[in-house]
Amino acid sequence: MSDIAVAELPPVEDEPRRRPAAEPPPPPKNPLLDDGILSTLLRLSWPNMVALTAGTCVAVAETSYIGRLGTESLAAMALVFPFVILTMTMSGGAMGGGVASAIARALGSGDSDRAATLAMHALLIGLCFGFAFMLGMLIFGARALELLGGRGNVLAQAIGYVHIFFAGAMVPWLMNTFAAILRGTGNMKLPSLMILNASVLQIVLGGVLGLGLGPIPSFGMQGVAAGTLIAFSIGTAVMAWYIFSGRARVTPKFKGLRIQRGMFFDILKVGAVACFSPLQSVLTITIFTHMLAHFGTEVLAGYGIGARLEFMLTSIAFAIGIASVPMIGMAIGARQVKRARQIAWTAGLVSFASVGVVGCVIAFFPDLWVDLFTKDPAVRLASERYLQAAAPMYAFIGLSISMYFSSQGAAKVLGPVLAQTGRLIFIGIGGWLLTVNHGTAGNFFTLAAASMVLLGVTSALSVLLTRWEPKVVPVVDPRSSLS
């Protein structure tokens, strides 16, 4: 027995061996958080760029056929331009940026239900602001235009435009709110397509109703305003159908909606503060326009042509800046602050360079722009002088716009707004000094150029010095209150 080998049995385990737990699947890839910054920024920007280039064509075409109505019509458009731009920038860039930022931050943190609720509150905000603009301009618009220096037939044509456009002020507010909801989800293509469609219709309808065609009579400035509203209404209807049909990443719902102050606050803490930026910008333009009105209709019309170029070029920065909002918002929501700052500086550099190159070309060859609008020698001379002084400095306007949108994405917009305040004070004090010392129109053009540099530099400094880290809310153990 001792010679028989006994096979060793494996030890008996007390309990079965446990299999390692399966790792949870990785979260789905989010291109706005995971892809390269420059490539993603350019991919999101190009639809906006195409659409806003079409908007530039509108500015060119509109100014061109208004020029056919006469120098007085050009001057009237220069008077109403600040108020129209205020409506579009406040609804699209300021409050729209606040909407896109809030929705992007909610999606970045993985809370799609909150994003949908925010979208519904955003539409309520858009309706209220549109109604306020309608009442304000219909009641006080004529007096405001008169204070700007409008007189005689110039004032009458400007009032005619205001009465038509601002009677439908809720249309652009709703259009830009729908666009902001889509942009907050990272969808840049549909809003851009609708802006492109509206631009084409605006050129056709505004030209036909303004100048007349066949049996359609010329309605002048009122016809131009009506064409704009019709074009915007179509774009608004298409985006509303797309969002409420459930095709978007967020779907606002009327059923069971409860008004929540927190939702309004999340949008307004960015959007309401941001609204002071275009408000101050328009106030700056308004003060500047009032000062130039003393030099005569030709100088005012010439400045209006130059201001149109500024609007065109800064739309490039708008396209880049609005693309950065969902990228930065989602990065902040996911607590990737370093990436958010890299996005901001990349967007700022691209905006500064792209706007600056075109501005410098026009400064050296102003006839490329001025020839599109007028042959009047006095108007041409004023416009050329303004462009030679101001156009190279448009790069700093582009930088400021990019910093403004980047700050919206981070929900830290106060700095760029204060930078706009600095520019307003600079223009006010500088303009007063030039007025009392009998400055020339050229001196005022130089003042405008210097204010652009100030705005760009201070906006960039505000982003550099502002902390973007989201506040960490401490979690309190409920048992601690029982001890």
Side-chain angles (χ1 to χ4, degrees):
M1 294 284 297
S2 61
D3 294 333
I4 299 174
V6 180
E8 294 184 1
L9 297 175
V12 179
E13 296 182 354
D14 294 335
E15 57 183 28
R17 188 176 297 173
R18 295 179 180 177
R19 295 182 179 180
E23 294 183 1
K29 183 178 180 181
N30 186 339
L32 274 66
L33 289 175
D34 302 322
D35 288 358
I37 290 175
L38 181 59
S39 59
T40 304
L41 183 67
L42 295 178
R43 176 171 56 82
L44 294 179
S45 297
W46 77 258
N48 297 330
M49 202 79 72
V50 172
L52 292 170
T53 299
T56 299
C57 295
V58 171
V60 173
E62 196 175 70
T63 307
S64 180
Y65 53 66
I66 289 175
R68 294 188 182 184
L69 294 172
T71 301
E72 289 182 332
S73 297
L74 275 176
M77 194 65 207
L79 283 178
V80 302
F81 188 67
F83 301 102
V84 175
I85 288 300
L86 178 63
T87 305
M88 301 308 295
T89 54
M90 191 176 283
S91 60
M95 194 63 70
V99 171
S101 172
I103 290 175
R105 283 182 277 113
L107 293 176
S109 64
D111 194 344
S112 57
D113 289 337
R114 178 180 177 84
T117 307
L118 283 166
M120 196 65 245
H121 284 72
L123 291 173
L124 296 177
I125 292 172
L127 285 170
C128 291
F129 271 80
F131 185 72
F133 265 71
M134 179 186 73
L135 286 182
M137 289 304 295
L138 291 181
I139 296 173
F140 303 108
R143 179 57 180 162
L145 293 168
E146 190 175 357
L147 289 174
L148 280 181
R151 298 290 185 271
N153 194 40
V154 172
L155 177 61
Q157 291 192 50
I159 291 174
Y161 185 100
V162 163
H163 282 172
I164 297 296
F165 183 83
F166 285 98
M170 282 187 284
V171 173
W173 269 94
L174 282 177
M175 180 185 73
N176 284 322
T177 302
F178 281 124
I181 292 171
L182 291 170
R183 286 173 176 145
T185 68
N187 183 346
M188 300 288 167
K189 291 184 179 180
L190 182 61
S192 299
L193 179 61
M194 290 302 97
I195 291 175
L196 179 63
N197 176 72
S199 299
V200 173
L201 289 175
Q202 191 176 348
I203 292 173
V204 175
L205 296 174
V208 170
L209 295 176
L211 297 175
L213 180 67
I216 301 175
S218 170
F219 293 100
M221 294 288 286
Q222 292 174 312
V224 175
T228 300
L229 277 182
I230 295 171
F232 287 176
S233 298
I234 294 172
T236 303
V238 173
M239 285 189 286
W241 166 80
Y242 183 87
I243 290 174
F244 283 107
S245 66
R247 289 169 171 79
R249 192 172 172 183
V250 297
T251 304
K253 295 178 181 178
F254 288 105
K255 187 177 180 180
L257 174 68
R258 292 185 301 108
I259 302 299
Q260 301 178 46
R261 288 185 299 175
M263 297 294 170
F264 284 129
F265 178 76
D266 201 8
I267 296 171
L268 294 175
K269 72 179 182 181
V270 176
V273 176
C275 281
F276 284 97
S277 184
L279 185 63
Q280 291 178 113
S281 179
V282 169
L283 184 57
T284 301
I285 296 172
T286 301
I287 292 172
F288 196 72
T289 302
H290 177 70
M291 293 173 179
L292 287 181
H294 296 290
F295 292 99
T297 300
E298 289 78 11
V299 170
L300 187 61
Y303 165 69
I305 291 173
R308 284 280 171 153
L309 177 67
E310 180 181 340
F311 171 69
M312 182 199 82
L313 292 183
T314 53
S315 66
I316 299 173
F318 182 96
I320 298 167
I322 199 67
S324 73
V325 172
M327 292 180 67
I328 293 174
M330 289 191 185
I332 293 294
R335 298 189 176 277
Q336 298 181 19
V337 179
K338 182 178 179 181
R339 177 180 173 86
R341 285 197 170 275
Q342 290 173 341
I343 295 168
W345 295 120
T346 301
L349 180 60
V350 173
S351 298
F352 182 87
S354 55
V355 174
V357 167
V358 181
C360 288
V361 170
I362 297 297
F364 282 106
F365 306 102
D367 290 345
L368 293 174
W369 181 254
V370 179
D371 285 347
L372 296 172
F373 307 110
T374 184
K375 300 297 181 183
D376 187 298
V379 176
R380 287 176 57 86
L381 180 61
S383 184
E384 289 172 0
R385 286 182 175 176
Y386 176 75
L387 290 173
Q388 288 167 352
M393 303 304 122
Y394 289 164
F396 291 93
I397 295 288
L399 176 62
S400 71
I401 290 173
S402 183
M403 296 295 98
Y404 169 70
F405 280 114
S406 295
S407 299
Q408 284 185 328
K412 302 286 185 178
V413 77
L414 181 61
V417 171
L418 293 178
Q420 194 68 252
T421 304
R423 185 195 185 195
L424 173 61
I425 294 172
F426 182 80
I427 285 287
I429 295 175
W432 174 76
L433 290 173
L434 288 177
T435 300
V436 298
N437 289 286
H438 308 290
T440 65
N443 296 142
F444 279 91
F445 295 158
T446 302
L447 176 69
S451 74
M452 296 174 190
V453 178
L454 176 68
L455 177 62
V457 172
T458 52
S459 296
L461 284 174
S462 72
V463 171
L464 181 65
L465 299 175
T466 301
R467 290 176 58 86
W468 279 10
E469 288 74 10
K471 293 182 179 179
V472 178
V473 180
V475 178
V476 179
D477 189 345
R479 291 172 298 179
S480 63
S481 62
L482 300 177
S483 58

